[in-house]
Each structure stands twice: as structure tokens, then as C-alpha cells.
Amino acid sequence: HLALTGHIWGSAVLTIATDTWNKLTTQQQDIISKAAEDWKLKERAMIAESDDALLNQMREAGIQVTEPDPVQFRDAVQSVWDDYEDSFGTDLMDLVREYSQS
């Protein structure tokens, strides 16, 4: 059995040291920023494609795949989100909420 709860999401993170970034010209920074944005979209599409292929393989192998109602999960943990908002602020939690919907 596999329940698609959507509570875990993996990603690739592009990082660069501030000292290194500051040594680049504005043009170089713009090129890297644009490439990072382009790659972000490609990476997300690759993950979705890979997930779909793997789910199809699992279903074909006889695994029962269910998709629980995410509203029940959100309701059950609302107090945790409230605690995080108190600790980390509304701006960060709004960003998390935005990305958790996609």
C-alpha cells in the first residue's frame, strides 16, 4: 500500500558563497540567476515525470495507491502551523503555504 499524502517534497538547491557571488559582475549574476530559474522549472518537470512513471510501475506491480484528502491532514496539524508562524513569522509561513499548494 502507498498513500500519496504529499508531505514530503525533494528538491535540488543551488548555492553559492556570498564572497564568490560578490566577485561576479552584474551581468554574470544575471546569467546565473536566469539559468537557475530555467533549471528550476525543468527540474520540477523532471521530478513530476519520474514520479508518474514510478507510480505507474507500482500500480502495474499490484501496489494499492490511495490519495487521502489533504484537508484532513491540514486541519489535524493546524496548531503546529500556528506555532511555526509564531516562531518564524507570517512572511516565511506564507511562502511555505504558497509552495505547499503546488
Side-chain angles (χ1 to χ4, degrees):
H1 292 275
L2 173 66
L4 301 177
T5 60
H7 69 281
I8 295 174
W9 181 71
S11 67
V13 179
L14 174 64
T15 60
I16 187 168
T18 302
D19 289 344
T20 302
W21 183 255
N22 291 337
K23 290 178 187 175
L24 301 174
T25 67
T26 302
Q27 182 182 14
Q28 291 168 325
Q29 291 175 351
D30 290 344
I31 291 168
I32 291 171
S33 295
K34 168 97 172 70
E37 283 297 314
D38 291 346
W39 176 248
K40 173 183 74 175
L41 299 175
K42 291 176 187 175
E43 185 245 354
R44 288 181 181 171
M46 288 169 43
I47 289 171
E49 185 179 315
S50 175
D51 285 352
D52 290 344
L54 186 55
L55 279 172
N56 286 335
Q57 289 176 356
M58 289 179 178
R59 286 183 172 114
E60 288 171 6
I63 292 176
Q64 295 288 334
V65 179
T66 59
E67 297 185 44
D69 181 2
V71 173
Q72 292 176 336
F73 282 95
R74 283 189 208 118
D75 290 347
V77 298
Q78 185 58 51
S79 64
V80 175
W81 284 78
D82 294 341
D83 290 344
Y84 280 149
E85 190 159 335
D86 290 343
S87 298
F88 299 111
T90 303
D91 290 344
L92 177 60
M93 292 309 296
D94 284 347
L95 185 62
V96 171
R97 284 184 194 96
E98 177 185 343
Y99 283 98
S100 69
Q101 300 301 316
S102 54

